[in-house]
Amino acid sequence: MSRSILIQGGSVADGTGRPPFRADVLARDGRIAEVGAIPEAEGARVLDAAGLTVAPGFIDAHTHLDFILASPAQERVLEKWVRQGVTTVVAGTCGFSPAPATDYSERYVSTLWHNALPREGLAFSWRSFGEYAQHLKHNGMVLNAAVLCGHNMLRANIMGLDARASTREEAGAMARELARALSEGAAGLSAGLFYVPGAFCRTEELDTLAAVLSGTGKPLVTHTRGLTQHYDKAVAEVAGVAERAGVPLQLSHHAGGLSLPLKVKRIYGRSTRAFLRAARLFSSRPLLFFVFSLNRARVRAEEVVRKARDRGVPVGCDNMPWFGGPTGILAMLPPWLFDGGMDRGLARLAEPGTRRRVLSELKSLVPSWPAWEHGFWTDNFLSLSALVSGFSLPKNRGLSGKSMEELGRLAGKDPFDALLDLTAEERGGLFAIDGLFDDPAGDDIAARLLADPECSVMSDVIGADYDWPNPVPWSSHAKVLGSFCRDRGHFTLPEAVRKMTSLPARQMGLSGRGEIRKGLAADICVFDPRTVRHCATFARPCRLAEGIRHVLVNGEPVLENERYLPATKPGVLL
């Protein structure tokens, strides 16, 4: 890259959290060459930033785009992120990654994690992480990416989906695979202890793997073993693992422990949305007290985090600016169902006795701790208000976006039973979303979660290549700048920018990124602070964000004067 771009006349929010200042920014040969008063620069093309804010390119701290990056779908999918000012994505999260892979784990991840793949599927032309990295380099990337090595892949490679503790030899084999992946470019280790086979592991297995990270500066990134009733214990488990290994810990979607609304929903069979709308009649502050102070698991989890930080454990976290989230339907079924493999689990759904047990547990089981002594259940939060998508059979495509309650009514049967029928028909390829997306109550809760100084902004998107009722991939970062910062005053502009730049860069060990400073990579976002906003909503999700003017990735424009320019593919694997 040899081109030079001079961004003139803007207000620089440099990513550190300090107040914005008037300065010009010169990008040359992929790096920031100068910051200050720059009346002209030889050979540089000028971008007028008068009245605009110049910030580091945003870093999405938690995505599932690692499979999209490896496919031709990336150009159409990543426009959503570019138009929010994102220049770097963290991927390979929740224990899933494209590599290292075997024939078995490729089939496993293509079933359980089908919704994170491109619509047309994905041909795994690699096996090692190094081969995956070479594939990305050869095909090019629109954005930068830091890709973690997934624990679920390591375990599936060595043990399949056996619902048991690993032996010392098996854990050692996983550790060796992890060490190789780290040496070949993996950004750290992710664990998805809600998902099989990660849910089958014991804490000792995590200790063995985290020890491999020791001394590398690379983080342990965890979807904890539970996000509801036992969230405090789940957080304590991974905090202990990180502390014993001496490694940074990143708590993915650190919104757990807010289970009281879920209990009310389960008792009355109503959605969390209706429950919290009613609670909000008493105004926002009492609502937040109710949600946070009366959910004891959340209170205890926050105390675990505080004490760990006091002892010097680097504990970071991330959240999206909505309250809720998506996952695959298979992930919300009993983990024991998949002992021995995904195909076995799907076949068992046709057995009458197993079907009755699954239905009974989905409707009434309350997870117990430790999960491995109680059927491996970590969370049980599938509800009638969940909106289901991912249908591929022509006869089912008209069902996309309908709630479980609607699916049951259309089938003339129990909604849970109807969902299991459809899951079997679609070979497990369904996913669902539930939450408080178009509700001020949900925004109040999300803002409270993001208020932690160590909380980064993320999107946590599955189904990124599908048009379905999920506004998150279209507008997370724009919503923070517009709604949360400018309109509602939850954050100052410098703090909002910090949460999307230097903070996730530090948490993920991405040196040379996340600030507007001489010598750093020229990942730059230029936006209008008066007009930047999210347009996607739960009711109308597929709408691009507005107000982002220019986006540079390693000094190359991928958005210029609001025109999307993906063809250069200037991104790199970090």
Side-chain angles (χ1 to χ4, degrees):
M1 298 180 191
S2 59
R3 65 194 302 178
S4 298
I5 294 179
L6 176 59
I7 303 171
Q8 279 190 324
S11 174
V12 174
D14 66 2
T16 65
R18 69 170 174 163
F21 55 93
R22 164 67 177 82
D24 307 320
V25 178
L26 177 63
R28 177 177 290 149
D29 297 328
R31 311 202 75 79
I32 297 173
E34 194 173 348
V35 180
I38 313 171
E40 59 182 26
E42 185 177 354
R45 188 156 54 85
V46 175
L47 297 180
D48 182 9
L52 306 178
T53 297
V54 181
F58 302 144
I59 299 170
D60 191 331
H62 181 109
T63 77
H64 298 290
L65 293 170
D66 31 317
F67 299 95
I68 298 294
L69 290 167
S71 83
Q74 66 164 313
E75 289 195 24
R76 69 168 179 263
V77 172
L78 294 181
E79 182 177 5
K80 305 180 186 77
W81 275 264
V82 169
R83 290 192 180 276
Q84 297 177 61
V86 172
T87 57
T88 298
V89 296
V90 178
T93 52
C94 291
F96 297 99
S97 58
T102 62
D103 290 349
Y104 180 89
S105 61
E106 179 182 346
R107 291 193 302 273
Y108 147 73
V109 79
S110 296
T111 302
L112 180 61
W113 214 229
H114 170 81
N115 37 70
L117 275 60
R119 285 176 300 193
E120 63 270 19
L122 181 65
F124 284 58
S125 61
W126 58 83
R127 283 295 175 255
S128 71
F129 197 95
E131 290 167 348
Y132 169 70
Q134 281 299 117
H135 175 89
L136 296 182
K137 183 177 180 180
H138 179 265
N139 289 280
M141 296 191 296
V142 176
L143 301 178
N144 302 314
V147 181
L148 303 157
C149 177
H151 170 228
N152 288 329
M153 299 297 285
L154 297 173
R155 201 173 213 268
N157 289 347
I158 302 301
M159 298 178 60
L161 266 65
D162 290 355
R164 60 176 177 84
S166 58
T167 65
R168 180 177 298 180
E169 291 73 21
E170 288 166 334
M174 288 183 233
R176 288 190 292 277
E177 276 208 359
L178 172 60
R180 179 183 175 186
L182 295 173
S183 71
E184 293 174 343
L189 171 66
S190 78
L193 305 177
F194 166 73
Y195 301 96
V196 297
F200 300 147
C201 86
R202 309 301 194 267
T203 309
E204 292 77 13
E205 182 175 310
L206 299 176
D207 281 326
T208 298
L209 295 175
V212 180
L213 296 171
S214 183
T216 67
K218 296 182 177 183
L220 170 63
V221 181
T222 61
H223 180 145
T224 55
R225 200 188 303 268
L227 288 168
T228 50
Q229 293 92 340
H230 303 290
Y231 189 56
D232 54 327
K233 301 180 184 70
V235 170
E237 177 187 30
V238 293
V241 170
E243 185 167 15
R244 288 188 291 274
V247 301
L249 174 66
Q250 184 77 358
L251 296 170
S252 297
H253 33 65
H254 180 42
L258 304 179
S259 58
L260 188 57
L262 298 176
K263 292 178 183 176
V264 173
K265 175 181 67 176
R266 190 168 293 279
I267 291 169
Y268 293 104
R270 300 296 179 186
S271 74
T272 307
R273 289 194 294 277
F275 172 68
L276 283 181
R277 281 193 189 116
R280 200 178 188 275
L281 292 175
F282 297 100
S283 85
S284 177
R285 187 169 297 176
L287 167 67
L288 293 178
F289 173 82
F290 174 78
V291 171
F292 286 89
S293 299
L294 298 186
N295 282 275
R296 304 310 301 172
R298 179 70 194 188
V299 173
R300 291 191 295 265
E302 290 183 346
E303 184 68 3
V304 168
V305 170
R306 184 189 65 79
K307 288 181 176 179
R309 288 171 176 168
D310 287 347
R311 293 193 302 272
V313 183
V315 181
C317 61
D318 47 63
N319 270 301
M320 66 179 74
W322 280 274
F323 184 59
T327 196
I329 294 296
L330 292 182
M332 293 189 277
L333 301 185
W336 53 261
L337 185 67
F338 301 102
D339 182 10
M342 302 307 299
D343 288 341
R344 287 190 185 181
L346 289 169
R348 287 172 183 142
L349 284 178
E351 300 168 1
T354 302
R355 171 71 73 100
R356 285 193 296 271
R357 180 184 171 189
V358 170
L359 287 170
S360 174
E361 292 190 6
L362 285 172
K363 293 177 182 180
S364 62
L365 183 139
V366 177
S368 298
W369 188 271
W372 56 78
E373 293 181 3
H374 302 276
F376 303 100
W377 274 103
T378 66
D379 295 291
N380 188 11
F381 45 53
L382 184 60
S383 79
L384 299 182
S385 59
L387 304 183
V388 183
S389 292
F391 297 98
S392 60
L393 297 177
K395 74 183 187 72
N396 292 333
R397 286 177 186 161
L399 301 176
S400 183
K402 295 191 181 300
S403 70
M404 270 187 59
E405 192 168 28
E406 290 175 293
L407 294 176
R409 186 167 58 251
L410 289 170
K413 58 173 59 178
D414 176 88
F416 288 91
D417 212 13
L419 182 66
L420 293 183
D421 287 345
L422 290 166
T423 299
E425 284 183 17
E426 296 283 349
R427 300 299 299 165
L430 302 181
F431 48 97
I433 190 166
D434 199 5
L436 294 167
F437 288 114
D438 291 345
D439 193 306
D443 284 356
D444 288 340
I445 296 170
R448 164 65 172 77
L449 292 167
L450 284 166
D452 183 335
E454 291 296 312
C455 187
S456 295
V457 177
M458 57 82 151
S459 62
D460 186 21
V461 171
I462 60 171
D465 196 21
Y466 294 77
D467 291 338
W468 64 297
N470 184 2
V472 179
W474 301 83
S475 49
S476 287
H477 296 74
K479 183 176 182 180
V480 169
L481 291 173
S483 178
F484 279 26
C485 174
R486 181 192 61 232
D487 299 340
R488 305 186 68 186
H490 289 304
F491 312 112
T492 65
L493 179 63
E495 177 63 4
V497 170
R498 185 187 72 86
K499 286 179 171 294
M500 301 189 290
T501 56
S502 67
L503 178 59
R506 171 170 57 80
Q507 291 169 334
M508 294 297 157
L510 307 180
S511 61
R513 311 273 165 175
E515 294 183 31
I516 297 291
R517 180 156 51 91
K518 183 177 180 178
L520 271 59
D523 295 338
I524 300 171
C525 168
V526 182
F527 63 91
D528 188 334
R530 300 159 298 185
T531 63
V532 63
R533 69 187 186 104
H534 73 289
C535 300
T537 64
F538 203 54
R540 301 178 65 191
C542 303
R543 301 164 71 195
L544 294 165
E546 295 179 354
I548 307 295
R549 190 72 57 83
H550 311 292
V551 178
L552 276 61
V553 175
N554 296 307
E556 289 287 327
V558 293
L559 189 76
E560 185 172 347
N561 290 314
E562 302 185 8
R563 186 165 62 97
Y564 181 47
L565 304 167
T568 56
K569 293 189 176 68
V572 297
L573 186 66
L574 304 177

